[in-house]
Amino acid sequence: MQNKNRILMIITALGIGLSTGWMLPAQAPADPAKGPQWKDRAEYDLADAYSKAPDGKGRLAALDKWTAANSDSEMFAMRDEFYLGTYGELKENRKAFDRAKAMRAKNANNYFAITTILANIYAFTPLPPAAADLATAEETAKYVLDNGDKIFTPANKPATMADEAWAKSLPQYRPAITALALRTNAWIWVQRKDDVRAETELTKVSQSDPDQPAFSYMLGTAKFNQYLKNKTLLAKVPEAIFQFARAAVYAGPAANTVSAANKTAYLNTATSLYKQYHGSDDGFPALLALAKTSAMPPADFKILSVNEIEEAKFKNAAEYDAAHPQQTFWRDAVRTPLTGADADKLFMENYKDSSLPPGPPNSPMAMFKAKIISMTPETSPKEMTVAIFDANIPDAKLTFNPALPGTMAVGSDIEFKGTVTAFQKEPFMVTFAIDMEEKELVGWTGTGPVGKAAPKGKAKAKAAPKGKAK
């Protein structure tokens, strides 16, 4: 929340303290052509007592005495402004607010009444202020936003300011008070806990003035609250995270409007929500860098949710499976079941002595495509380790009887099918016996004589496992 002392300090610097160029008009004979006049010397002396009082308490007593003696004074506008300054000095926020409201009933354009209402609404405790006070502040803020040309004119000079001081200050006063009205209007909807309207008004603040980190936090809260109330509004979460981050890392001219403790809290909130939404802190430093330079995210700003990331993985996986049927079969029908529970029993019952892959000749599943990882021995190998699923990870061992002729370069591509003879879970490896007479190896380019195979009794191959493992 915007620090109320900070707000009051800003308004005081703009003149709410009534100490910039105010003057007590000289006591003179009545002259209607010159505007409001003192009733007599006695009234002037009562006002003069205010100016000579040593402190706020004494000034308030002098004003009350003047009011009691001259309730119908033509100088009421000046006296009301003196009251506002004195109430501000004594921190009598309630009295200042109420008098400012009464002053605007007589003159809606009264500069000091307007600034008092816009400043003091923040000072009421506990929050939120009463509904009637919020309504008064809202009406005042909207009036400023819609009627600046009436308020900030030479003709609307406060009674306590000299013509020169007012004219000189207008270029500073108007933009500052207009910005305050915009912020106050937004803050009012925060106090009313209307998150939808608060988001709209707070967005206007951030778009018009990027140096409002406390209001960035309010904007993030309004967005996130909407998600908490309606979980279908998931898109509000990334926007909220950005605003929390902005409030945490802002380092511009208004950085001191947010305490170090609050900055830490805001950063913790942004960090926690980001990890929950995204699933990790990947990309979070880049978000912080962006929030530090901009009060609003760019039009293409996006944080991928955990679900979106998983959906993308699923989509990519489905596309991969469709394009790589052999690797998919190896993963789902061989590796997954043989690395799970009861793998040894499953192997003996379903895999040992079976022929893999199961496809008929000339089909995509007629042979496994693989890369050579190593051969033993390197020339005329009797064993070869190959990679099927991942080209860098060996997951099958091929055995030959007789040995293969010659040699080939590691990394070369081959195709094979064979009879499963053994497996191990870690590291995962399935052993195949390859029958060269049955042309179960394709792509071998090594040259040389092929010896005779040793006598053996070959068991009839089992049918291959069907489908994907559940």
Side-chain angles (χ1 to χ4, degrees):
M1 181 178 297
Q2 176 87 1
N3 183 287
K4 67 181 182 182
N5 291 328
R6 171 69 180 173
I7 294 174
L8 292 174
M9 181 181 72
I10 293 171
I11 300 306
T12 298
L14 294 176
I16 195 62
L18 306 178
S19 60
T20 305
W22 76 266
M23 56 184 294
L24 190 67
Q27 194 276 333
D31 183 355
K34 294 182 178 180
Q37 300 292 306
W38 302 108
K39 180 179 180 180
D40 50 31
R41 178 70 198 196
E43 182 185 5
Y44 178 86
D45 289 341
L46 288 171
D48 193 39
Y50 160 84
S51 68
K52 294 177 180 178
D55 53 30
K57 187 175 181 181
R59 281 185 278 278
L60 182 59
L63 288 172
D64 287 343
K65 188 175 181 179
W66 176 10
T67 302
N70 300 95
S71 60
D72 59 349
S73 173
E74 292 183 26
M75 311 298 288
F76 71 88
M78 173 177 285
R79 186 169 61 199
D80 281 341
E81 291 176 9
F82 286 163
Y83 265 114
L84 291 185
T86 303
Y87 287 146
E89 182 181 1
L90 297 174
K91 295 181 173 55
E92 294 279 3
N93 300 315
R94 175 79 263 171
K95 291 181 179 180
F97 189 91
D98 291 342
R99 183 168 289 271
K101 181 179 178 181
M103 291 167 64
R104 288 202 67 238
K106 292 181 272 187
N107 176 12
N109 299 313
N110 187 289
Y111 170 78
F112 285 130
I114 288 171
T115 53
T116 296
I117 290 171
L118 295 182
N120 283 36
I121 190 65
Y122 293 89
F124 291 152
T125 55
L127 294 176
D133 292 334
L134 288 174
T136 296
E138 180 186 14
E139 184 279 326
T140 303
K142 288 182 176 179
Y143 187 86
V144 171
L145 296 173
D146 295 338
N147 297 278
D149 290 340
K150 296 180 181 179
I151 301 168
F152 304 102
T153 64
N156 196 43
K157 177 186 74 68
T160 52
M161 289 187 70
D163 292 347
E164 182 180 356
W166 175 245
K168 186 176 181 179
S169 300
L170 281 178
Q172 175 189 7
Y173 286 4
R174 180 166 185 171
I177 300 306
T178 301
L180 175 63
L182 192 67
R183 295 196 299 271
T184 301
N185 184 57
W187 181 83
I188 287 167
W189 291 101
V190 172
Q191 300 308 307
R192 288 173 174 162
K193 302 187 187 312
D194 186 331
D195 295 309
V196 175
R197 182 62 182 274
E199 178 186 357
T200 298
E201 302 304 327
L202 289 164
T203 297
K204 294 177 184 177
V205 173
S206 291
Q207 289 175 333
S208 65
D209 185 357
D211 295 314
Q212 294 297 330
F215 281 79
S216 294
Y217 181 77
M218 290 185 224
L219 178 55
T221 301
K223 289 176 178 289
F224 191 66
N225 283 347
Q226 291 177 66
Y227 163 72
L228 292 178
K229 295 172 184 176
N230 183 352
K231 294 300 177 63
T232 65
L233 300 177
L234 190 63
K236 296 289 183 184
V237 177
E239 298 170 2
I241 292 171
F242 182 92
Q243 294 299 332
F244 292 146
R246 170 67 176 177
V249 301
Y250 170 83
N256 64 342
T257 60
V258 177
S259 69
N262 280 346
K263 288 181 181 180
T264 298
Y266 299 164
L267 181 59
N268 289 341
T269 298
T271 303
S272 176
L273 287 179
Y274 186 93
K275 287 183 177 179
Q276 291 178 51
Y277 185 82
H278 187 63
S280 72
D281 58 4
D282 291 344
F284 189 62
L287 184 148
L288 292 179
L290 179 62
K292 191 172 184 178
T293 61
S294 177
M296 297 296 291
D300 60 351
F301 175 75
K302 185 174 181 61
I303 302 172
L304 290 176
S305 70
V306 172
N307 288 341
E308 288 173 324
I309 293 171
E310 289 303 313
E311 288 173 2
K313 287 181 179 178
F314 179 81
K315 179 180 179 181
N316 292 339
E319 292 174 351
Y320 178 90
D321 289 355
H324 301 82
Q326 295 177 10
Q327 285 91 335
T328 300
F329 175 83
W330 180 260
R331 180 193 66 209
D332 295 342
V334 180
R335 188 182 66 187
T336 297
L338 290 181
T339 54
D342 299 324
D344 292 327
K345 180 180 179 182
L346 191 64
F347 175 78
M348 295 303 297
E349 293 177 351
N350 295 320
Y351 291 87
K352 192 173 189 320
D353 297 329
S354 66
S355 178
L356 293 179
N362 301 318
S363 72
M365 294 299 297
M367 293 267 189
F368 284 126
K369 294 180 180 180
K371 283 190 177 293
I372 298 174
I373 301 297
S374 65
M375 295 173 289
T376 305
E378 291 184 2
T379 301
S380 298
K382 290 186 176 182
E383 292 185 356
M384 177 191 302
T385 58
V386 298
I388 298 174
F389 188 78
D390 185 321
N392 298 307
I393 301 175
D395 49 11
K397 180 189 293 185
L398 313 184
T399 61
F400 304 94
N401 183 18
L404 294 176
T407 188
M408 281 182 68
V410 169
S412 297
D413 294 319
I414 60 163
E415 296 182 49
F416 77 93
K417 73 180 302 177
T419 301
V420 177
T421 60
F423 94 106
Q424 64 182 36
K425 289 179 66 173
E426 186 63 36
F428 182 70
M429 185 73 67
V430 177
T431 301
F432 292 83
I434 307 299
D435 189 337
M436 295 299 291
E437 293 181 0
E438 296 293 331
K439 299 182 180 179
E440 292 183 341
L441 181 68
V442 175
W444 180 260
T445 59
T447 58
V450 178
K452 291 184 178 181
K456 64 177 181 178
K458 185 175 181 181
K460 184 178 180 181
K462 296 181 181 178
K466 296 181 179 180
K468 296 184 179 181
K470 296 184 180 179

